[in-house]
């Protein structure tokens, strides 16, 4: 679910009004925000990562192994935080 909510388009949109869905699609999402491994490193997005890498991160986070939210998956908008 965490991966689905991080996408611009997702199956949950069927339960949203057209206006709410358009607003949601226009928000930044954690899967599509540019990230970098450090100064001078190329930028990347979670959506570009191999499926296994993204799945492993989401699975690990969902299990609650980490007590706090990692900076790698920091929610980028209010619906992702809820």
């Amino acid at each position: 679910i965490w991966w689905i909510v991080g996408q611009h388009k997702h199956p949950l949109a069927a339960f949203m009004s057209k206006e709410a869905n358009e607003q949601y699609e226009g928000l930044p999402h954690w899967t599509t925000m540019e990230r970098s491994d450090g100064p001078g490193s190329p930028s990347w997005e979670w959506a570009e990562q191999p499926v296994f890498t993204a799945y492993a991160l989401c699975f690990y986070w969902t299990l609650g192994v980490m007590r706090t939210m990692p900076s790698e998956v920091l929610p980028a908008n209010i619906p992702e935080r809820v």
Side-chain angles (χ1 to χ4, degrees):
I1 291 177
W2 183 245
W3 182 257
I4 292 170
V5 172
Q7 302 298 309
H8 289 284
K9 297 192 181 283
H10 55 84
L12 301 175
F15 302 102
M16 299 169 68
S17 69
K18 182 179 179 182
E19 294 80 21
N21 192 39
E22 288 173 356
Q23 180 183 9
Y24 182 80
E25 288 179 2
L27 295 172
H29 299 277
W30 74 269
T31 57
T32 57
M33 292 180 63
E34 285 193 6
R35 302 174 188 284
S36 176
D37 293 327
S41 296
S43 62
W44 54 273
E45 298 176 357
W46 275 110
E48 299 170 346
Q49 297 300 307
V51 173
F52 180 78
T53 303
Y55 176 80
L57 173 82
C58 290
F59 183 73
Y60 184 70
W61 184 85
T62 303
L63 284 177
V65 174
M66 302 165 95
R67 296 278 179 196
T68 60
M69 184 174 294
S71 60
E72 292 85 8
V73 295
L74 184 65
N77 60 53
I78 298 297
E80 288 179 359
R81 292 179 192 268
V82 181

